């Protein structure tokens, strides 16, 4: 078992001892997070294994103590065992530094590689040609051979000259390291990711200050774009289509930014493949989390800008106005249709009322006409009865009152009038014949005319026949 004990100049205490249970031959129970496990067929590790383990952890060794006389007889007898056992302080310091890559990195001084090459104003915008040119200029200017020659002419002590020479060589070495790092795309990307950067996201501004507030923010973050062709924010006169393309680019933004500071574990310190894989997973998990936060920050920037962009606001207001105008137009069209429908109903109602009025007037007029017709018929009937009175009184041609009444009831007003007109100015038998014929007088008159004609022919025939039998004198008379 391990003992947390230190050491001094006179006494060396072992870090590894045996428990009483093992010495007495009793079974060993190892505690775990669940239940005690009985250790069977296991032996405790010796000093060799313990020393090798501490060596792998990077612990320093301590040799034998010079003052062997001050040690106890028991310790002197075990010098061979103590020889390869590191001190507790070295083990403690080594254990405390394990897994603290971030702390070690922070302890190491971070140099500004762009400033060393004179590219502090360009930084990540510097091209490879500019880096080469700046490196050549810086190398010629700060080369140790060139500066060392000038240093020999100065009247200073050798210590000062040596210190300055070392500083010159150190500076030139930093220039070389800066050039090598900036010419390596992967290392340069990592360095640019850790370079000083303003991650602030503006949230609100006045409409007139929009381009002054959000323009620099977008330009800063355009540094991380995978696509080097980053569109410009434009101004208030930029077409809306270009504005939409701009925001579509930023909503689909892809960043090349790395997060090496999130990689907490140093893979070189892993003691086994399993521990290395675990470190890789932990580093990947934290890096992925940092990337999600970065994309969320970019998305917040774009959302805030989209809400405050006066061009987008104006378009939304125009669309809202158009939508309201269409809505009002629909309302007006609906109202117009309702008014037209109401007018049509009113017109139909008025037409029906007019038709009903005309029908009533027609019925009234028809009623008047009927009454007038009735009066005229009654008048003509009275006239017929008056004209028929002489015939009825003389009983001519067997005409009776029933015959006259039958004519009054069967004939219409016009027929009665015509019959009465025929009966006017006639007397006796002629009046009786007209009354006898009634409304068939014209037909009978034609028959009479035909009969007369036939009778004339017959008389002629008879005369002609009789003429043959009569005497010539009679025939001559005929």
């Amino acid at each position: 078992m391990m003992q947390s004990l230190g050491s001094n100049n006179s006494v060396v205490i072992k870090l590894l001892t045996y428990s009483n249970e093992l010495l007495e031959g009793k079974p060993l129970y190892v505690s775990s997070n669940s239940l005690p496990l009985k250790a069977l067929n296991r032996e405790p590790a010796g000093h060799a294994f313990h020393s090798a383990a501490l060596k792998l952890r990077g612990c320093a060794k301590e040799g034998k103590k010079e003052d062997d006389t001050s040690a106890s007889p028991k310790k002197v007898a075990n010098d061979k065992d103590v020889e390869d056992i590191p001190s507790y302080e070295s083990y403690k310091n080594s254990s405390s530094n394990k897994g603290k890559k971030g702390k070690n990195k922070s302890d190491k001084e971070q140099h500004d590689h762009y400033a060393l090459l004179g590219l502090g104003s360009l930084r990540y915008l510097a091209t490879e040609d500019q880096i080469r040119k700046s490196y050549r200029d810086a190398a010629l200017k700060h080369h140790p051979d060139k500066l060392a020659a000038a240093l020999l002419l100065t009247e200073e002590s050798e210590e000062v000259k040596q210190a300055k020479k070392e500083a010159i060589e150190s500076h030139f070495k930093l220039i070389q390291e800066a050039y090598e790092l900036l010419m390596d795309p992967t290392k340069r990307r990592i360095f640019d990711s850790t370079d000083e950067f303003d991650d602030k996201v503006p949230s609100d501004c006045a409409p007139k200050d929009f381009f002054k507030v959000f323009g620099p923010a977008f330009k800063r973050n355009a540094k991380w774009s995978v696509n080097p062709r980053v569109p410009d924010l434009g101004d208030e006169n930029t077409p809306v289509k270009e504005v939409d393309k701009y925001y579509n680019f930023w909503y689909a933004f892809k960043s090349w930014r790395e997060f090496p500071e999130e990689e907490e574990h140093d893979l070189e310190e892993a003691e086994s493949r399993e521990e290395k894989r675990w470190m890789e997973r932990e580093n990947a998990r934290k890096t992925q989390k940092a990337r999600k936060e970065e994309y969320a920050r970019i998305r917040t920037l774009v959302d805030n800008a989209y809400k405050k962009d006066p061009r987008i606001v104006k378009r939304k207001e125009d669309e809202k106005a158009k939508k309201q105008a269409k809505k009002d137009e629909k309302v007006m069209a609906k109202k117009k249709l309702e008014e037209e429908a109401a007018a049509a109903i009113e017109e139909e109602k008025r037409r029906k009322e007019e038709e009903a009025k005309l029908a009533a007037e027609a019925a009234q007029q028809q009623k008047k006409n009927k009454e007038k017709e009735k009066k005229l018929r009654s008048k003509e009937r009275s006239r017929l009865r008056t004209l028929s009175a002489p015939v009825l009184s003389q009983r001519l041609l067997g005409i009776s009152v029933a015959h006259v009444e039958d004519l009054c009831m069967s004939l219409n007003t016009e027929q009665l009038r015509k019959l009465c007109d025929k009966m006017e100015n006639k007397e006796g038998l002629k009046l009786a014949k007209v009354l006898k014929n009634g409304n068939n007088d014209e037909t009978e008159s034609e028959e009479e005319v035909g009969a007369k004609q036939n009778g004339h022919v017959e008389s002629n025939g008879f005369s002609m026949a009789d003429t043959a039998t009569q005497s010539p004198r009679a025939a001559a008379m005929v």
Side-chain angles (χ1 to χ4, degrees), residues 371-386:
E371 291 178 355
K372 184 178 180 181
E373 181 70 17
K374 186 177 180 181
K375 289 179 181 180
L376 291 175
R377 184 182 295 178
S378 178
K379 182 179 178 182
E380 295 298 332
R381 286 174 180 176
S382 299
R383 183 183 175 191
L384 179 59
R385 290 187 185 100
T386 302

Side-chain angles (χ1 to χ4, degrees), residues 114 119-127 130-131 182 188 191-193 195-197 218-225 256:
Y114 290 110
L119 299 173
S121 58
L122 294 176
R123 306 197 75 77
Y124 74 96
L125 297 176
T127 63
Q130 291 174 333
I131 294 174
L182 296 180
R188 182 182 180 185
F191 175 74
D192 289 338
S193 299
D195 198 6
E196 184 178 357
F197 181 75
F218 278 110
K219 287 184 178 179
R220 288 197 309 270
N221 289 276
K223 165 184 178 180
W224 311 119
S225 177
W256 55 262

Side-chain angles (χ1 to χ4, degrees), residues 207 240 306-325:
V240 180
Y306 193 84
K307 291 178 183 178
K308 297 298 179 179
D309 195 326
R311 300 165 297 185
I312 301 299
V313 173
K314 183 180 179 182
R315 184 179 66 178
K316 288 183 178 180
E317 291 177 353
D318 294 341
E319 291 177 352
K320 185 177 180 180
K322 289 180 180 179
K323 188 176 181 180
Q324 186 64 31

Side-chain angles (χ1 to χ4, degrees), residues 16 63 94 146 171 213 393 475:
L16 187 65
S94 175
K146 181 179 179 180
H171 184 72
V213 174
S393 62

Side-chain angles (χ1 to χ4, degrees), residues 117 130-140 175-176 179:
L117 299 181
Q130 291 174 333
I131 294 174
R132 291 192 187 96
K133 185 177 181 301
S134 298
Y135 170 69
R136 286 195 295 267
D137 296 341
L140 292 174
I175 292 175
Q176 289 179 326
Y179 174 72

